[in-house]
Amino acid sequence: MKRIQYNIYKTLAFIPLLLLGTACGEEFLDLQPPLQVANDEFLQTVDDFRGATLGMYDQMQLADYYGRYFLLIPDIMGEDIKQNASANRGKEWAEYNGAPTTNQNEHREFWAEIYEVINMANQMINAEFTPIENRRSEFNNYLGQAHAVRALAHFDLVRLFAQTYSFTSDASHPGIPIVTEFEPESRPSRNTVAQVYEQVITDFETAISLLEPKGDENAGTISREATQALLSRVYLYMGRYAEAESLATEVINGGKFTLVARDAYAMQFFAGNSSEAIFEIVFNLADNEGSDHIGGMYKETGYGDYLPSQQLFALFEEGDIRGTLFIDDDNLDNGIYADASGEGKRVYKFPSEGSNIATDNVPVIRLSEVMLNRAEARAKAGNDAGALADLNQIRVRAGATELSGLTGQALIDAVLLERRRELFAEGHRVFDITRNQQDMVRTDCTSPTCTVTFPNERFILPLPQEETDVNDNIQQAPGYGT
């Protein structure tokens, strides 16, 4: 449908093949150099589509997407993670003073790298190829994954660069360009947020129709259930609570996923492919990001720029296993980065170290989130009993006390607090703040900006200056100049 101008399609027509040729083995590379093979000459067999699918996931591993920043930026824009005095990576967004031309490149890289993922998916979706009958199911599975990845990428972009869905009554405010095909000379405008969400829904629904139910494959690939879970999240963001609950229930009742035991909770990210991992980005020794992995942003042995806030510590009661996902740092004792007992702590949700550094899998969606999504949808739709039952499953598993007697807004508030406990450092916080039209208030603040009231122009990132310079049709976000 549209393309993006800034440094993507100028060079991207052949970039997927560099990744995909590697994924498909030496035979392909022996034919001719990858950068000299046009995409329409590559996607000629089902095995080519398999390689293309691997290429999409490889792109999603980058530090500028799920490898690091897509989890980090939404959390450092909240109140549960705070910066130390030497933090520079992501600093402008944590302080709410970023600009289209800022020296920090996170907004540029989000824009470029996520649209690269979309382009890879588009190459598969738009390829003129018909498989032989005995491989049609396999081909449909790759095509379904492409639709699901394209949906997720558009959803991630619109959350970063556009105000939340409910910002206007009909979601008619500026979103991001919808890109469904390669058009080199196009200069797209921003679609509305409503239009972007409709495209996301269409792609997810198409994926559901193409994908087989989860089989023996691990959580590193998108299954039908993963697509249902992600679409449930989309509906929750839109305030379509009946659809959010229905899809979440299909995943929960399907029997493919179960909550890990309390004692296994802390290791599920390091070990990967746990019983509750629905879709996660897989990292191993061959493709790890080293200190650029999300864990490196929290560890003393990495960059260590960001630490848990005392507001986060205060959320956990004694016995809650989630309150132990921190590691001691004696250099921080009795300071602003210490817990209530005066012990300095760092986030340790991604614990890989030494020879295993950066091999923790990165969660995209887990069963616990799906249960909390359903709890929130139920609570906001007035099903207090159902919401409380879901909420208590998460709490009891963690070792927290069971709640009772909550209804209405008090129950909604309890569910949202539980999301902070369960999903901290997984890239949800600022999105939860804005979609619930809340203020961001830091009480133990290490940033020049300690309070951001909703609505606020700075809750989203600006488009890169390079994009608006070359495309007169695209509109910069309000508050970031013309």
Side-chain angles (χ1 to χ4, degrees):
M1 182 178 179
K2 293 179 180 175
R3 71 174 285 272
I4 217 67
Q5 178 71 17
Y6 163 55
N7 278 345
I8 295 183
Y9 287 107
K10 293 179 182 176
T11 57
L12 198 58
F14 296 112
I15 284 177
L17 298 184
L18 182 59
L19 300 170
L20 310 183
T22 303
C24 291
E26 293 182 358
E27 294 80 6
F28 174 73
L29 296 179
D30 289 342
L31 295 177
Q32 51 183 311
L35 292 180
Q36 295 180 16
V37 182
N39 286 356
D40 58 3
E41 296 176 15
F42 173 64
L43 293 170
Q44 296 295 313
T45 71
V46 174
D47 289 335
D48 291 341
F49 280 83
R50 176 181 177 275
T53 303
L54 295 175
M56 288 192 307
Y57 293 130
D58 188 67
Q59 179 74 11
M60 295 175 77
Q61 290 178 328
L62 295 180
D64 296 310
Y65 198 8
Y66 276 100
R68 175 172 63 178
Y69 280 126
F70 192 75
L71 273 70
L72 183 73
I73 299 299
D75 279 325
I76 65 177
M77 291 178 72
E79 66 280 76
D80 295 333
I81 304 296
K82 62 186 182 183
Q83 66 199 78
N84 66 15
S86 60
N88 57 13
R89 296 162 189 84
K91 179 175 181 287
E92 282 86 350
W93 317 117
E95 297 180 355
Y96 286 84
N97 61 7
T101 56
T102 182
N103 290 330
Q104 291 295 318
N105 290 318
E106 292 85 12
H107 66 307
R108 293 186 179 96
E109 296 305 321
F110 280 142
W111 191 256
E113 304 300 353
I114 300 177
Y115 272 115
E116 285 187 20
V117 172
I118 289 171
N119 190 59
M120 290 178 173
N122 286 340
Q123 298 296 330
M124 297 174 63
I125 293 168
N126 297 327
E128 295 182 2
F129 174 77
T130 302
I132 59 176
E133 193 57 37
N134 66 356
R135 300 197 72 178
R136 182 173 295 278
S137 177
E138 182 184 358
F139 171 74
N140 285 344
N141 183 57
Y142 299 138
L143 197 60
Q145 290 180 68
H147 277 282
V149 167
R150 187 170 76 177
L152 178 60
H154 277 103
F155 182 54
D156 290 344
L157 281 167
V158 81
R159 288 190 289 167
L160 289 168
F161 291 100
Q163 296 287 352
T164 192
Y165 189 86
S166 61
F167 188 77
T168 55
S169 61
D170 57 356
S172 60
H173 52 289
I176 48 97
I178 298 170
V179 179
T180 58
E181 60 185 48
F182 177 55
E183 296 180 9
E185 302 306 318
S186 175
R187 298 293 186 273
S189 59
R190 298 172 70 143
N191 291 91
T192 67
V193 167
Q195 290 169 334
V196 177
Y197 271 74
E198 285 307 311
Q199 178 64 46
V200 168
I201 291 170
T202 296
D203 267 334
F204 273 141
E205 288 179 339
T206 300
I208 290 171
S209 72
L210 291 167
L211 290 168
E212 297 290 334
K214 181 176 170 62
D216 296 331
E217 72 275 10
N218 65 33
T221 58
I222 292 182
S223 62
R224 179 186 293 175
E225 291 84 359
T227 304
Q228 291 170 321
L230 290 166
L231 183 52
S232 174
R233 181 199 284 174
V234 171
Y235 282 133
L236 183 68
Y237 274 57
M238 298 175 74
R240 292 170 59 171
Y241 301 126
E243 292 100 324
E245 178 184 359
S246 176
L247 282 166
T249 297
E250 286 194 52
V251 176
I252 293 166
N253 291 351
K256 300 290 181 66
F257 308 96
T258 57
L259 295 176
V260 300
R262 177 184 181 277
D263 292 343
Y265 187 94
M267 288 302 292
Q268 64 178 301
F269 308 109
F270 175 68
N273 200 37
S274 75
S275 63
E276 70 178 73
I278 298 176
F279 177 46
E280 60 190 12
I281 306 300
V282 175
F283 288 87
N284 55 41
L285 291 174
D287 57 18
N288 75 76
E289 295 279 346
S291 293
D292 286 341
H293 181 270
I294 181 63
M297 299 305 297
Y298 295 116
K299 296 173 189 170
E300 186 179 14
T301 54
Y303 297 116
D305 288 345
Y306 293 94
L307 298 101
S309 69
Q310 293 171 7
Q311 287 172 270
L312 180 60
F313 291 136
L315 295 177
F316 302 106
E317 63 186 75
E318 186 175 353
D320 190 329
I321 189 67
R322 299 165 300 186
T324 69
L325 298 184
F326 306 98
I327 190 170
D328 293 341
D329 185 343
D330 294 341
N331 295 321
L332 303 174
D333 285 353
N334 299 308
I336 58 175
Y337 303 108
D339 63 11
S341 67
E343 294 183 347
K345 302 285 187 182
R346 291 182 175 272
V347 171
Y348 206 54
K349 206 167 194 176
F350 306 100
S352 62
E353 293 276 14
S355 61
N356 290 316
I357 189 171
T359 56
D360 314 271
N361 286 1
V362 171
V364 178
I365 192 161
R366 300 190 281 126
L367 180 62
S368 57
E369 186 205 333
V370 176
M371 297 180 73
L372 287 169
N373 289 347
R374 187 171 74 170
E376 184 179 338
R378 285 175 163 178
K380 289 179 175 177
N383 180 358
D384 293 342
L388 191 58
D390 285 337
L391 174 60
N392 279 326
Q393 282 196 66
I394 300 301
R395 290 182 58 79
V396 170
R397 183 275 292 271
T401 55
E402 193 167 352
L403 301 176
S404 62
L406 295 177
T407 61
Q409 189 60 49
L411 178 56
I412 294 171
D413 292 343
V415 172
L416 297 180
L417 277 176
E418 204 64 35
R419 289 182 66 88
R420 290 174 65 181
R421 299 182 184 99
E422 182 67 23
L423 302 175
F424 79 87
E426 295 183 41
H428 292 270
R429 185 59 193 142
V430 80
F431 303 137
D432 284 349
I433 289 171
T434 55
R435 67 184 180 81
N436 285 285
Q437 300 190 359
Q438 297 176 334
D439 300 335
M440 192 285 295
V441 181
R442 296 164 172 162
T443 57
D444 55 304
C445 184
T446 59
S447 166
T449 302
C450 297
T451 300
V452 183
T453 58
F454 184 91
N456 197 288
E457 295 168 339
R458 293 289 169 144
F459 271 133
I460 63 174
L461 305 186
L463 272 59
Q465 186 69 46
E466 295 88 340
E467 176 67 38
T468 57
D469 283 347
V470 299
N471 183 358
D472 292 337
N473 297 325
I474 204 161
Q475 176 186 359
Q476 182 58 269
Y480 287 106
T482 57

